[in-house]
Amino acid sequence: MKRFTFIILLLMVAVGCSGDDDTSDDNETTLLGLDGKWNMSNVSGGFLGVDHDFQDGLITWEFNESAKKVIIVNSNTDTTIEDSLPSDTYDYTVVEFLSNLEITIGNKNLGNLEITSNSFTISEPFKDGFQFTFTR
């Protein structure tokens, strides 16, 4: 009888330890404050030392952090000015690498991402790369 009781208790413990109540962080999304619409306000850098301001609304990026999507509306028609990506809806990821945040949109790693409450910048990682500044 003791053996039977021991087996029942062992089965109850085994059933009670199922993995269905796992609180893994795999499905949680870390929000960075990117949600919403941003205006590309400036592009600077490059080999020629560009420094160009954009009018609000000319190039907008609208982030949905929970869906990991960004809608880019690029109405710039001046092909001589670097303006990053064309209009489209893209998947994006942000990862931490060597204490920096890096953003990839579509399949293109755009570089380092720095965020404040009212602006963010993306800096391309190579010496003659561009820096894109966005404001709300």
Side-chain angles (χ1 to χ4, degrees), residues 64-111:
N64 180 329
E65 285 191 276
S66 42
K68 295 296 185 197
K69 301 264 185 207
V70 59
I71 300 169
I72 297 176
V73 177
N74 186 340
S75 302
N76 179 34
T77 57
D78 186 343
T79 58
T80 64
I81 300 172
E82 178 61 38
D83 57 14
S84 193
L85 297 166
S87 296
D88 206 344
T89 299
Y90 299 90
D91 293 324
Y92 78 93
T93 58
V94 176
V95 296
E96 187 172 345
F97 181 71
L98 298 176
S99 300
N100 293 312
L101 295 178
E102 289 189 0
I103 187 167
T104 300
I105 297 181
N107 292 324
K108 183 178 180 184
N109 183 332
L110 297 182

Side-chain angles (χ1 to χ4, degrees), residues 1-8:
M1 183 70 165
K2 286 183 182 181
R3 180 172 231 169
F4 178 73
T5 304
F6 176 74
I7 291 174
I8 295 295

Side-chain angles (χ1 to χ4, degrees), residues 10-96:
L10 187 60
L11 285 173
M12 289 175 63
V13 168
V15 170
C17 292
S18 69
D20 61 350
D21 61 346
D22 191 9
T23 58
S24 171
D25 291 340
D26 293 343
N27 295 327
E28 290 184 24
T29 301
T30 302
L31 301 179
L32 300 170
L34 283 173
D35 256 346
K37 189 179 278 189
W38 298 82
N39 294 291
M40 184 182 288
S41 58
N42 182 273
V43 60
S44 60
F47 183 71
L48 299 175
V50 170
D51 187 8
H52 181 81
D53 292 327
F54 292 101
Q55 175 184 351
D56 276 358
L58 186 65
I59 302 170
T60 61
W61 290 20
E62 187 168 355
F63 287 89
N64 180 329
E65 285 191 276
S66 42
K68 295 296 185 197
K69 301 264 185 207
V70 59
I71 300 169
I72 297 176
V73 177
N74 186 340
S75 302
N76 179 34
T77 57
D78 186 343
T79 58
T80 64
I81 300 172
E82 178 61 38
D83 57 14
S84 193
L85 297 166
S87 296
D88 206 344
T89 299
Y90 299 90
D91 293 324
Y92 78 93
T93 58
V94 176
V95 296
E96 187 172 345

